[in-house]
Amino acid sequence: MTSSPTESRVIEEITALGPFFAIQTHPPGTHPSEPWQSLSRPLLEARVSDVRDRLAAGGGQPPAAVETRVAASVAHLGLAARLVSPALAAAVLHGLVLAPGLADLRWQPTLGGPTPLSLPDDAFTGGEEGSLSQLADELSSRLLDGTLRQLADAMAQFSVSRHILWGNTASAVNGAVTMITASRPEVTARTRTLTALLLERPPLRGASARTPGGTYRRRSCCLIYRAAPGRKGALCGDCALSR
């Protein structure tokens, strides 16, 4: 898998932010070779099943004790984070938009950490000077309402509500912000401004809010608490059910 010298520098800088930002590239229109795979229905089914097994084992339960939609929501959150994180970093650091079609991505079906991700090497667009509002418009229409909507459509087939799926996506955006600003504090203001603009636009509008103290809070729940015995697991810090 190769990329241009400029893209290689961008990828290196993005990847340095952490494993959720790590990306590789491949020539567009090519068939994946092992261990890479396209994101197909069988691959998603296998991922949801693996997540279900892992959640069940964590609670000392059989897999049947964990609802499929719970495993699907948790799997979706992880995949959404893998798409959002490098895209937000590329936008913040270079004004680039990463918004390939879901079918053009390549994945490795690993479990227990961020899923390896490869993008077509023509996925980088933009890079010209423009306002953060314009960049947020591009990300909203092409990434969120494009690639991320395609992922939500695929995961909705596992009986996960759209409300939860967009809440997961908004949570993934907020998580990426935390990691970017921790690694690159000099871009904190730019990152937070772009993110605020992004969360105000559809399809993420209304998926989250800020408390009076400024804390991020999603308006849905990823359902992971229901994977614990008696469905009494701990809630995530940004969960709508937290008080």
Side-chain angles (χ1 to χ4, degrees):
M1 298 185 181
T2 61
S3 56
S4 71
T6 300
E7 288 173 353
S8 295
R9 289 193 294 271
V10 172
I11 291 170
E12 183 178 353
E13 187 175 4
I14 292 172
T15 298
L17 295 172
F20 274 95
F21 297 83
I23 54 175
Q24 297 186 42
T25 61
H26 59 267
T30 57
H31 291 289
S33 56
E34 292 293 338
W36 296 98
Q37 297 184 30
S38 299
L39 193 65
S40 62
R41 172 73 184 193
L43 182 63
L44 285 177
E45 289 176 346
R47 179 132 191 114
V48 170
S49 178
D50 287 344
V51 170
R52 189 183 193 188
D53 290 346
R54 193 178 183 88
L55 290 173
Q61 307 175 93
V66 177
E67 301 159 275
T68 298
R69 70 187 183 109
V70 172
S73 175
V74 174
H76 171 262
L77 181 54
L79 295 175
R82 285 298 283 122
L83 292 173
V84 163
S85 298
L88 187 59
V92 167
L93 299 177
H94 297 282
L96 294 169
V97 176
L98 292 181
L102 198 64
D104 298 321
L105 301 173
R106 302 288 181 263
W107 309 79
Q108 291 183 26
T110 60
L111 196 64
T115 306
L117 173 64
S118 178
L119 309 172
D121 57 23
D122 62 357
F124 294 86
T125 62
E128 299 179 358
E129 288 297 323
S131 69
L132 288 182
S133 181
Q134 290 171 323
L135 187 54
D137 286 340
E138 284 288 298
L139 288 170
S140 177
S141 63
R142 297 181 52 204
L143 175 68
L144 298 176
D145 213 18
T147 316
L148 271 298
R149 186 175 292 280
Q150 293 168 21
L151 179 63
D153 288 343
M155 299 307 292
Q157 299 176 46
F158 294 92
S159 300
V160 187
S161 77
R162 302 282 177 164
H163 183 58
I164 289 173
L165 293 171
W166 288 121
N168 286 348
T169 306
S171 185
V173 170
N174 185 63
V177 171
T178 301
M179 289 184 280
I180 291 172
T181 56
S183 297
R184 298 287 297 270
E186 75 276 12
V187 297
T188 295
R190 177 177 170 85
T191 305
R192 290 179 176 170
T193 299
L194 177 59
T195 302
L197 291 168
L198 205 54
L199 293 175
E200 291 172 357
R201 285 162 167 73
L204 296 187
R205 182 185 297 151
S208 62
R210 292 282 174 183
T211 66
T215 302
Y216 173 87
R217 180 65 55 83
R218 60 183 288 172
R219 287 177 168 161
S220 62
C221 173
C222 73
L223 305 178
I224 194 171
Y225 79 94
R226 296 177 65 86
R231 299 174 181 173
K232 296 180 179 179
L235 299 175
C236 301
D238 65 352
C239 185
L241 303 180
S242 297
R243 294 290 184 270

